């Protein structure tokens, strides 16, 4: 704890229409946090006015106001840039809706400040009884996105990827181009891919889920899953190209390409089997055998690619 108190810690608080909770977030911020950077993402309520009023009693509060709404990722990026430009040793994200327990903050800061991990992220799944506290719809969507993020980012040891309670090191703050970070609800997923490309270490930390504290979620699960899935596919391609072709060559790229090619062939063969079955009442045995060969080989190629990716990123386990 002594090392944490000596470090320059910045709390980045993205806030959009959080007039009911923002003062509570400020008042419950631990005293070892040196600066509380509230990023008002063009709120239509009195969020900014509440923050200005609180500054009189809390001089460590800094208010940044966006002229245009940029989304939670854009708000976090602005806060990260302030932390980077003001020589912070560590920046932690705490939502303006009060859903992040300040009691968990030392556990998030310790890996970065004490153990030199580049990025620590909260994991509500690891908290004892945490899964039972998470609304079922959110848990299902989060679990799906966690798996896709493992594949897309290369951090196979992380889960609960939608948890925004995170801490980031000075070196990571300086390595990432925050102007290019995804600005909406896919920010944690996008950032993990960027961290992997830059060979940054990541550790999951158990944190307590908090709900029913007055927050209003803006997340539409069905829409967000498809949006973030598309983002992860694009960033996955970018990571494969930059990390395993441009920076260094790794054969896992070939396994993914072979798997993709054979998957396309198996889809074509399956369509042919269905068409012949519907048209002639039967399908050639050779087509069925070719389909099974293409499908099973494509799955094996994908699994080999994933296994190689796991092995290549073992050193990034924080």
């Amino acid at each position: 704890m002594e090392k944490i108190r000596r470090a320059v810690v910045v709390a980045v608080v993205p806030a959009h229409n959080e007039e009911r909770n923002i003062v509570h977030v400020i008042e419950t911020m631990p005293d070892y946090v040196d600066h509380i950077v509230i990023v008002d993402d063009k709120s239509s309520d009195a969020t900014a006015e509440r923050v200005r009023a609180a500054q009189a009693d809390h001089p460590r509060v800094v208010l940044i106001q966006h002229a245009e709404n940029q989304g939670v990722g854009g708000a976090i990026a602005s806060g990260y840039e302030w932390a980077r430009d003001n020589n912070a040793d560590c920046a932690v994200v705490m939502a303006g809706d009060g859903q992040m327990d300040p009691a968990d903050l030392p556990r998030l800061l310790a890996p970065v400040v004490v153990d030199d991990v580049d990025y620590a992220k909260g994991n509500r799944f690891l908290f004892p009884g945490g899964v039972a506290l998470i609304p079922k719809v959110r848990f299902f969507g989060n679990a799906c996105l966690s798996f896709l993020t493992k594949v897309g980012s290369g951090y196979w040891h992380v889960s609960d990827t939608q948890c925004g309670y995170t801490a980031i090191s000075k070196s990571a703050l300086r390595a990432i181009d925050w102007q290019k970070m995804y600005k909406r609800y896919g920010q944690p997923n996008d950032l993990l891919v960027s961290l992997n490309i830059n060979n940054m270490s990541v550790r999951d930390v158990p944190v307590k889920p908090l709900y029913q504290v007055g927050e209003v979620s803006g997340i539409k699960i069905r829409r967000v899953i498809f949006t973030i899935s598309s983002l992860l596919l694009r960033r996955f391609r970018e990571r494969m190209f930059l990390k395993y072709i441009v920076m260094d060559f790794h054969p896992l790229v070939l396994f993914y390409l072979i798997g993709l090619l054979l998957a396309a062939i198996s889809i074509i063969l399956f369509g042919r089997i269905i068409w012949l079955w519907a048209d002639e009442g039967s399908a050639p045995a050779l087509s069925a055998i070719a389909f099974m060969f293409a499908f099973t080989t494509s799955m094996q190629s994908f699994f080999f690619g994933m296994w190689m990716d796991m092995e290549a990123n073992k050193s990034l386990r924080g």
Side-chain angles (χ1 to χ4, degrees):
M1 193 65 186
E2 181 180 350
K3 196 169 183 179
I4 291 175
R5 290 188 178 277
R6 290 201 306 266
V8 178
V9 177
V10 173
V12 176
V13 184
H16 178 69
N17 294 339
E18 299 293 353
E19 63 178 6
R20 291 183 296 175
N21 300 301
I22 197 64
V23 175
H24 173 74
V25 172
I26 293 171
E27 291 177 344
T28 57
M29 193 70 67
D31 61 358
Y32 50 81
V33 173
D34 298 278
H35 306 284
I36 306 171
V37 181
I38 312 290
V39 184
D40 176 32
D41 195 28
K42 199 179 181 182
S43 299
S44 58
D45 64 1
T47 297
E49 288 76 9
R50 296 286 177 86
V51 174
R52 290 194 191 95
Q55 283 179 310
D57 296 322
H58 303 277
R60 52 185 180 149
V61 172
V62 177
L63 175 62
I64 297 174
Q65 287 186 273
H66 283 172
E68 299 294 334
N69 179 270
Q70 297 185 29
V72 64
I76 292 172
S78 295
Y80 278 164
E81 288 177 327
W82 190 97
R84 177 199 63 199
D85 297 342
N86 286 271
N87 205 34
D89 294 310
C90 179
V92 60
V93 175
M94 296 188 72
D97 59 9
Q99 277 195 337
M100 296 171 181
D101 191 346
D104 290 326
L105 190 52
R107 286 201 297 271
L108 274 170
L109 291 173
V112 175
V113 177
V114 180
D115 299 333
D116 294 324
V117 173
D118 294 300
Y119 189 69
K121 56 172 290 297
N123 189 327
R124 295 161 294 187
F125 300 168
L126 296 179
F127 188 84
V131 172
L133 298 174
I134 302 173
K136 301 305 180 185
V137 174
R138 290 194 187 188
F139 174 77
F140 175 76
N142 195 334
C144 293
L145 290 174
S146 289
F147 173 75
L148 294 176
T149 304
K150 289 173 184 285
V151 179
S153 71
Y155 291 113
W156 294 86
H157 64 287
V158 304
S159 59
D160 191 15
T161 54
Q162 303 317 113
C163 180
Y165 202 176
T166 62
I168 190 168
S169 69
K170 177 185 290 187
S171 58
L173 281 170
R174 294 177 176 178
I176 305 298
D177 184 350
W178 300 111
Q179 289 298 315
K180 294 182 178 180
M181 190 173 72
Y182 190 72
K183 294 187 175 183
R184 299 294 170 179
Y185 284 112
Q187 177 269 336
N189 316 80
D190 182 66
L191 178 53
L192 282 171
V193 179
S194 296
L195 289 169
N196 187 276
I197 292 172
N198 285 275
N199 291 311
M200 298 288 178
S201 56
V202 175
R203 181 185 298 179
D204 266 1
V205 178
V207 296
K208 182 180 181 180
L210 291 181
Y211 295 100
Q212 285 80 50
V213 292
E215 81 281 358
V216 178
S217 175
I219 300 177
K220 305 298 182 184
I221 297 296
R222 286 176 293 181
R223 182 181 65 187
V224 166
I225 284 181
F226 289 109
T227 301
I228 299 178
S229 298
S230 175
L231 167 69
L232 285 170
L233 176 60
R234 175 175 59 82
R235 294 305 316 273
F236 170 76
R237 293 197 304 264
E238 182 180 348
R239 182 172 72 89
M240 291 293 109
F241 177 72
L242 291 175
K243 192 166 184 177
Y244 298 127
I245 296 179
V246 175
M247 298 177 184
D248 193 8
F249 179 76
H250 197 293
L252 70 86
V253 176
L254 298 179
F255 279 98
Y256 274 124
L257 288 175
I258 292 170
L260 184 64
L261 175 62
L262 290 174
I265 292 174
S266 66
I267 291 173
I268 294 172
L269 289 171
F270 183 73
R272 171 179 166 79
I273 291 170
I274 296 299
W275 180 74
L276 289 173
W277 192 281
D279 187 57
E280 301 177 6
S282 64
L286 186 60
S287 294
I289 293 171
F291 162 73
M292 290 302 300
F293 174 79
F295 179 76
T296 55
T297 307
S298 70
M299 291 298 100
Q300 288 177 339
S301 295
F302 283 134
F303 291 148
F304 270 116
M306 292 178 184
W307 174 73
M308 288 183 174
D309 198 25
M310 290 181 190
E311 291 297 311
N313 289 288
K314 271 187 175 180
S315 62
L316 301 184
R317 291 174 177 260

